Amino acid sequence: MTETIVPRPLQVGDRIAVVAPSGRIRSERLDQGLEYLKAWGLEVDVMPFVLAGHDRFDYLAAADDARAADLRDAWLDDRFAAVFCGRGGYGVQRMVDAVDFDELAAVPKWFVGFSDITALHEPLNARGLVTIHGPMAAAVEQLGVAEGRARLHDLLFEPDSVTDLLAPRGARSVVGGVVDGVLRGGNLALLAGSIGTPTYAPPSGIVVLEDVGEHGYRIDRLLTQLLRAGWFEQVTGLVIGDFTDSDDAGLAADVVRERLEPLGLPMVEGAGIGHEDLNLAVPLGLPVRLDATAATLTPLWPGAAAGS
């Protein structure tokens, strides 16, 4: 069994780095978002290629090698206690094979992001490193919601104080039961897109799923791909987050239930995790207890954090 590696809690005065592994970032949004992080007493450095742009594809933050270099340089720099992604979008899958995940996992520090960043969480979690699926540095709408901002702060500074990862919004029970397991997952499209790639790591434990902009039939297609690939074979519980900007929210929910409820796994839906303004940060790679009957998700923190 892979050892769980929890980075040390942040402290006032710590320095963090912002990287852009995916899509292009608007400087004004980044400036607004950084004010929230600085208000926590953090020093913030923006890595050189975050706002560089790509000479051909304006949907990328920078060239693939530049984005990979920024991530590595930030992670291996002893000055930085955490690495925040600026935004998601698209692009990680273009540069992920240039990342040495063994090298990064050997230097535990908090890593924050979601959506396209799922492609980086997965190989890090597979190596035992706990990472944070949550609001990013330029996600000004999400950082502007007090409950979501407080959750992210607490996971970074006082992780032991977080006792229910589904509160305060709560969730709804679909299939009852209680199960323990390592929390994995993230963005549905990225999880399906990783199958068959060098960084593919099928999960075991409790999986959280969310997505944005996917119509009902596309959610069906993505879940069917995971089911046919045997992706759920070692999954023991399911936490269904938000499926934002679908063509029909009711249809999206029905599709998820129809595809996954027959697995018979403890399952909750409606968790405040994903692309809505309230995005409750959760620690991927951490052992948790899902009580799907009571609709609670309890983090099971190790006795001591690595590096503390």
Side-chain angles (χ1 to χ4, degrees):
M1 183 175 179
T2 304
E3 177 189 4
T4 300
I5 306 167
V6 182
R8 72 161 178 86
L10 296 187
Q11 301 172 353
V12 171
D14 275 340
R15 184 174 294 274
I16 66 170
V18 175
V19 298
S22 299
R24 192 163 191 161
I25 297 174
R26 288 165 46 193
S27 60
E28 63 273 18
R29 289 180 61 84
L30 181 59
D31 289 343
Q32 293 175 52
L34 295 186
E35 291 305 311
Y36 289 106
L37 306 183
K38 292 175 181 177
W40 294 344
L42 297 172
E43 302 292 330
V44 182
D45 285 6
V46 176
M47 296 302 287
F49 292 104
V50 168
L51 299 173
H54 192 283
D55 61 3
R56 185 176 179 187
F57 303 128
D58 62 5
Y59 52 82
L60 296 173
D64 298 341
D65 58 351
R67 288 180 284 119
D70 263 2
L71 176 63
R72 181 180 189 274
D73 292 346
W75 202 295
L76 299 182
D77 191 325
D78 291 339
R79 295 176 300 160
F80 300 127
V83 177
F84 269 70
C85 295
R87 63 159 294 196
Y90 169 75
V92 168
Q93 288 177 311
R94 290 177 52 113
M95 52 76 82
V96 68
D97 292 328
V99 179
D100 184 338
F101 290 99
D102 290 329
E103 180 182 50
L104 300 191
V107 185
K109 57 182 61 178
W110 287 117
F111 178 63
V112 181
F114 77 106
S115 195
D116 197 55
I117 310 305
T118 295
L120 293 172
H121 284 301
E122 277 290 284
L124 290 168
N125 298 153
R127 288 160 173 79
L129 184 66
V130 177
T131 60
I132 294 181
H133 179 287
M136 294 173 277
V140 293
E141 292 84 5
Q142 294 185 340
L143 290 173
V145 176
E147 294 88 349
R149 187 171 67 251
R151 163 63 62 77
L152 179 60
H153 173 276
D154 290 348
L155 282 181
L156 290 168
F157 286 83
E158 303 175 286
D160 290 347
S161 70
V162 180
T163 57
D164 181 7
L165 295 165
L166 300 182
R169 175 167 137 178
R172 300 178 297 276
S173 178
V174 178
V175 179
V178 180
V179 65
D180 291 359
V182 173
L183 188 64
R184 296 283 292 274
N187 182 266
L188 174 60
L190 269 295
L191 294 168
S194 74
I195 292 176
T197 67
T199 54
Y200 174 55
S204 60
I206 296 164
V207 165
V208 58
L209 298 174
E210 63 84 30
D211 216 319
V212 62
E214 298 288 358
H215 294 340
Y217 78 91
R218 295 204 295 253
I219 295 169
D220 190 323
R221 181 174 63 201
L222 292 165
L223 290 173
T224 300
Q225 164 71 0
L226 293 179
L227 288 163
R228 294 184 67 224
W231 192 87
F232 292 96
E233 287 179 359
Q234 298 184 67
V235 172
T236 57
L238 296 164
V239 176
I240 308 303
D242 290 314
F243 281 76
T244 301
D245 294 338
S246 181
D247 56 337
D248 183 326
L251 174 62
D254 287 345
V255 166
V256 173
R257 289 191 212 101
E258 192 272 342
R259 293 279 73 197
L260 298 184
E261 194 172 355
L263 294 174
L265 303 174
M267 175 178 170
V268 297
E269 65 180 6
I273 301 168
H275 285 75
E276 297 293 331
D277 287 352
L278 175 62
N279 180 12
L280 295 173
V282 295
L284 298 178
L286 185 77
V288 297
R289 175 169 297 135
L290 172 64
D291 184 336
T293 305
T296 61
L297 186 64
T298 305
L300 304 176
W301 298 103
S308 62

